[in-house]
Amino acid sequence: MNFSFGSLELNRTNPAHIGTSAIGSVDSVLRKNENLSVSDTDRKESFKAYLLEAASEMNRQQIEVSAMQEKVITDPDSVDIHDVTTAMAKAQMSMELAQTVIDRLVKGWTELSQNR
């Protein structure tokens, strides 16, 4: 099967590799992509939701580590020390990542505000 898009030509050697449906025009594909654009408010809300979700996950890890540490002190036989160590390292890494992101956001904001 051959399809041409103006000067661009697509040769299908095996229909199973690309699919069996006919390929539409480039204009119709571009129009579909224009309809999928995200508004500024949606971007702000999704970034806000992402930051809140990341902070919530970091907080959950910190609480989980605290509970495991408490359990090691009160009932050492019920918790594997390796699990506690792994959870502590994971929580520490997430805390360091959050601090790095916050530092970069603040630095970017100050650079933007100074360039005005």
Side-chain angles (χ1 to χ4, degrees):
M1 281 186 212
N2 292 333
F3 299 98
S4 74
F5 300 109
S7 63
L8 177 67
E9 186 174 315
L10 174 67
N11 295 320
R12 278 194 188 174
T13 56
N14 186 347
H17 291 168
I18 301 176
T20 56
S21 63
I23 297 174
S25 69
V26 174
D27 292 333
S28 66
V29 172
L30 291 176
R31 276 191 227 108
K32 287 180 185 176
N33 287 340
E34 287 174 359
N35 294 336
L36 296 177
S37 66
V38 179
S39 68
D40 287 339
T41 56
D42 289 342
R43 278 192 207 125
K44 289 177 186 175
E45 288 299 316
S46 64
F47 183 69
K48 177 183 172 183
Y50 175 76
L51 285 178
L52 289 174
E53 181 181 332
S56 175
E57 177 65 21
M58 184 189 63
N59 187 42
R60 185 195 62 75
Q61 288 176 352
Q62 298 293 329
I63 291 171
E64 180 181 320
V65 167
S66 296
M68 290 179 93
Q69 288 173 338
E70 184 178 311
K71 203 168 190 179
V72 163
I73 293 170
T74 58
D75 188 17
D77 294 334
S78 67
V79 180
D80 186 14
I81 192 67
H82 300 293
D83 292 339
V84 176
T85 306
T86 303
M88 287 174 64
K90 187 176 178 181
Q92 180 66 32
M93 286 177 60
S94 67
M95 180 72 82
E96 290 171 0
L97 178 63
Q99 185 63 46
T100 302
V101 169
I102 291 168
D103 290 344
R104 289 191 182 180
L105 282 172
V106 169
K107 182 180 178 184
W109 180 256
T110 43
E111 287 179 6
L112 280 173
S113 63
Q114 288 175 355
N115 288 335
R116 286 186 178 194

